[in-house]
Amino acid sequence: MKVALIKPPMPFGWTPVAPPVLEYLGALTMKAMPDVDLRLIDGSATPVYPKGEDVDLVGISCLTATAVPGYRIADGLRENGIPVIIGGLHASARPGEAKQHADAVVVGEAESVWPEVLEDAKKGVLKPFYYGSPIPLEDLPTPLYGHLKGKYRFRGVFTSRGCPFNCSFCSVKQFFGAKIRQRPIIDVIRDVEAIPDKIYMNGDENVWAGNVERVIELFTALKGTGKKWLGFGSLGAVQSPAGDRLLRAARESGLITLWVGWEAITDEALRVYHARGKIGKNREDAIRKIKDNGIDVSLFVMLGGRADTMDDFERTIDVADRLGVSIHPSLVVPYPGTKLHEEYEPYINKELGWEYYTGAYALFDHPLPDMTPRMREKKFYEVSLELLTLKRLLKHLTEIPFSVFPASHIISLMSQLPVRRGMKEAYEEWKQHNG
Ligand code: B12
Ligand code: SF4
């Protein structure tokens, strides 16, 4: 059987990360049907989609911001008689909507149902919906690293799924569930060793979720691979009594940059989002502690929520300067399937389709009169560009711990400069439409 897996183009174009979902779903496909003829298509890099005779089945992975292009690709393929399966976070939050563009929708994780889907497709008896259950993460195949050709710099590895917290904006929690499921350490090491590059990316929502001792064991094993890595981690574990040991082990395992979901500027706003796991005793101290342990930090901040004020935009710059970290702001996105989407429902601008759910658009009304959608979007661009001035980028290089020189310094510049260019272009385009 000829199978193609597609990741539709991402909202801000190409990224240096080879889409982990393609490499991993590809491996699951090969495991279930070793004689399959497989094609992986990254719509941001090589947007060339199969024609009728090229393929027997197409799987498309849809996030919210990629749902519209994903549906468009699916409709085109189905007009040519090609059966299409849609899966991913967005399809799982809105299965009925996705079904209008697919022969079958996979809701939830693929592992428990993908072999059945492939068999049914081969026999031509696809069911409309398949429901994946959160099975233990054992015996998972190594992603097909290297299968996707192109100038990718990073490949992804995941070590766990699930999170016990309930942040109202989170679109991953509902999907992976509250129980933390960890992969066997030996499997993670096997995958990391299979990555052709010296630096990789950890795609866990929180790399030190769960039992700290087990995480330290994982880091100790990773040390042997001799590779450097970047990943997401929360501040709770850093502030725990085992925090110092954890950070030492993380650094020795090759962690050079930690991405932290800082989310809201004030603890008050974090409370409104029920982000209990993110309200540290002192978040700023935790950041300093990570940096003191020789690990660079990048913060992700959401701005313009209904509990935020205009001052929070400016405060973001203060936080970046005070802590000597890079910050990636976005406007709040009430993703479908989240508690926040329910709360914001009466205020959401329904004229804005999923393609606007990128973090650059004000998607809902705000109670404060000065926080009009136009002002929030304008301020978002201004703050983003202020955080990316050349002066700041260069100053940040001097603030990155010297122990991660030069990898972290190069990655910082390599990732920030294209974002700066993209942000400038997006702001110019925004100004043309909004005056
Ligand atoms: C790696 C990653 C990235 C990487 C790589 C993206 C890429 N090229 O693929 C980078 C850093 C570039 C990135 C960027 C962005 N990302 Co991102 N990213 C992730 C992350 C951390 C891991 C995703 C991943 O690959 N997991 C590994 C794969 C194997 O798992 P999976 O995709 O969930 O797939 C499983 C199931 O979903 C299902 N499945 C998925 N697709 C399909 C398809 C079929 C046919 C089937 C059967 C099953 C199936 O089966 C798989 C196995 O069980 C997630 C957070 C997370 N923990 O999930 C956020 C996440 C996916 N990102 C998100 C967002 C919003 C973005 C940005 C749009 C953010 C922004 N505003 O800039 C940007 C887009 C950048 C761009 N250029 O346009 C959101 C999506 C929210 C949503 N509901 O849509 C997430 C969930 C983060 C979050 N917490 O909100 N991201
Ligand atoms: S800590 Fe919050 S944002 Fe992170 S995975 Fe858990 S619920 Fe989602």
Side-chain angles (χ1 to χ4, degrees):
M1 189 160 70
K2 291 183 203 160
V3 176
L5 299 175
I6 300 178
K7 172 124 187 150
M10 301 284 271
F12 307 120
W14 186 81
T15 71
V17 184
V21 67
L22 291 184
E23 295 183 320
Y24 177 66
L25 207 56
L28 277 185
T29 309
M30 297 298 290
K31 188 180 174 197
M33 252 183 203
D35 58 349
V36 81
D37 179 346
L38 183 69
R39 224 173 116 191
L40 305 181
I41 302 170
D42 175 0
S44 299
T46 49
V48 181
Y49 305 109
K51 305 267 182 312
E53 65 285 2
D54 296 353
V55 75
D56 303 308
L57 179 72
V58 170
I60 302 183
S61 179
C62 285
L63 296 177
T64 299
T66 60
V68 171
Y71 294 162
R72 206 177 302 128
I73 296 165
D75 294 345
L77 292 165
R78 292 176 83 215
E79 275 166 24
N80 283 318
I82 302 169
V84 172
I85 320 281
I86 297 187
L89 285 183
H90 185 80
S92 301
R94 289 284 185 273
E97 174 193 293
K99 181 66 187 68
Q100 292 168 30
H101 307 273
D103 295 272
V105 175
V106 171
V107 179
E109 300 174 36
E111 286 78 0
S112 64
V113 289
W114 192 231
E116 182 191 345
V117 178
L118 292 171
E119 278 304 327
D120 287 357
K122 199 171 177 182
K123 291 185 207 138
V125 293
L126 278 171
K127 301 175 193 65
F129 296 99
Y130 293 83
Y131 295 90
S133 42
I135 56 174
L137 303 175
E138 276 154 26
D139 213 13
L140 305 182
T142 298
L144 302 178
Y145 299 125
H147 201 95
L148 278 163
K149 304 292 176 218
K151 287 192 237 150
Y152 299 111
R153 289 181 195 275
F154 304 106
R155 313 270 158 179
V157 167
F158 72 95
T159 79
S160 71
R161 289 182 186 159
C163 173
F165 298 111
N166 289 304
C167 308
S168 63
F169 50 77
C170 178
S171 61
V172 180
K173 163 68 199 256
Q174 295 80 336
F175 191 79
F176 291 131
K179 185 165 180 287
I180 297 167
R181 285 167 290 144
Q182 288 158 325
R183 295 183 64 202
I185 290 175
I186 190 169
D187 290 5
V188 176
I189 301 300
R190 180 200 65 205
D191 287 2
V192 170
E193 280 175 344
I195 293 175
D197 323 291
K198 294 220 160 41
I199 300 184
Y200 63 96
M201 172 185 159
N202 178 305
D204 298 354
E205 196 59 22
N206 178 7
V207 70
W208 33 61
N211 181 327
V212 174
E213 294 308 324
R214 187 262 179 203
V215 179
I216 291 178
E217 202 186 320
L218 169 68
F219 289 164
T220 308
L222 282 172
K223 191 174 162 184
T225 67
K227 297 192 180 190
K228 309 261 184 248
W229 60 279
L230 306 90
F232 292 91
S234 70
L235 299 179
V238 174
Q239 291 169 312
S240 74
D244 282 315
R245 273 196 310 128
L246 183 70
L247 287 171
R248 208 165 31 249
R251 199 199 53 225
E252 286 173 7
S253 76
L255 175 60
I256 51 174
T257 303
L258 185 75
W259 295 310
V260 175
W262 191 258
E263 319 298 6
I265 290 297
T266 62
D267 280 2
E268 186 43 40
L270 283 178
R271 265 179 217 106
V272 173
Y273 291 132
H274 308 284
R276 194 168 55 81
K278 294 179 187 282
I279 306 171
K281 280 181 257 107
N282 185 335
R283 296 199 290 165
E284 298 201 359
D285 275 356
I287 299 293
R288 289 190 193 99
K289 189 167 164 181
I290 299 168
K291 292 190 68 176
D292 288 348
N293 274 276
I295 299 166
D296 188 29
V297 178
S298 254
L299 304 183
F300 286 79
V301 174
M302 304 185 311
L303 293 168
R306 284 183 50 86
D308 296 336
T309 66
M310 230 27 156
D311 290 344
D312 293 328
F313 284 80
E314 296 299 332
R315 285 195 198 128
T316 311
I317 299 169
D318 295 343
V319 173
D321 289 347
R322 198 165 54 243
L323 297 178
V325 294
S326 57
I327 294 192
H328 306 275
S330 79
L331 288 174
V332 172
V333 180
Y335 285 111
T338 62
K339 190 97 189 62
L340 193 70
H341 191 87
E342 282 170 33
E343 282 170 23
Y344 279 18
E345 175 71 37
Y347 315 105
I348 291 178
N349 179 352
K350 308 286 182 326
E351 281 173 18
L352 300 177
W354 301 129
E355 66 275 33
Y356 291 89
Y357 283 53
T358 62
Y361 295 92
L363 298 164
F364 45 84
D365 289 339
H366 198 282
L368 297 175
D370 62 334
M371 297 273 274
T372 60
R374 189 176 170 281
M375 279 314 290
R376 273 175 283 159
E377 288 174 5
K378 182 168 185 287
K379 207 70 194 152
F380 158 73
Y381 282 114
E382 285 172 1
V383 168
S384 299
L385 287 170
E386 183 60 42
L387 288 165
L388 290 164
T389 56
L390 275 183
K391 195 172 148 210
R392 259 202 188 78
L393 295 191
L394 293 174
K395 179 167 169 277
H396 179 59
L397 291 184
T398 65
E399 294 160 336
I400 298 177
F402 193 68
S403 52
V404 285
F405 180 85
S408 238
H409 300 70
I410 295 170
I411 287 173
S412 174
L413 265 190
M414 229 172 62
S415 54
Q416 306 270 67
L417 286 174
V419 175
R420 179 171 183 267
R421 199 167 44 239
M423 196 58 80
K424 276 185 162 176
E425 284 167 12
Y427 189 30
E428 286 311 312
E429 202 183 317
W430 183 91
K431 280 196 277 194
Q432 279 174 18
H433 289 104
N434 295 274

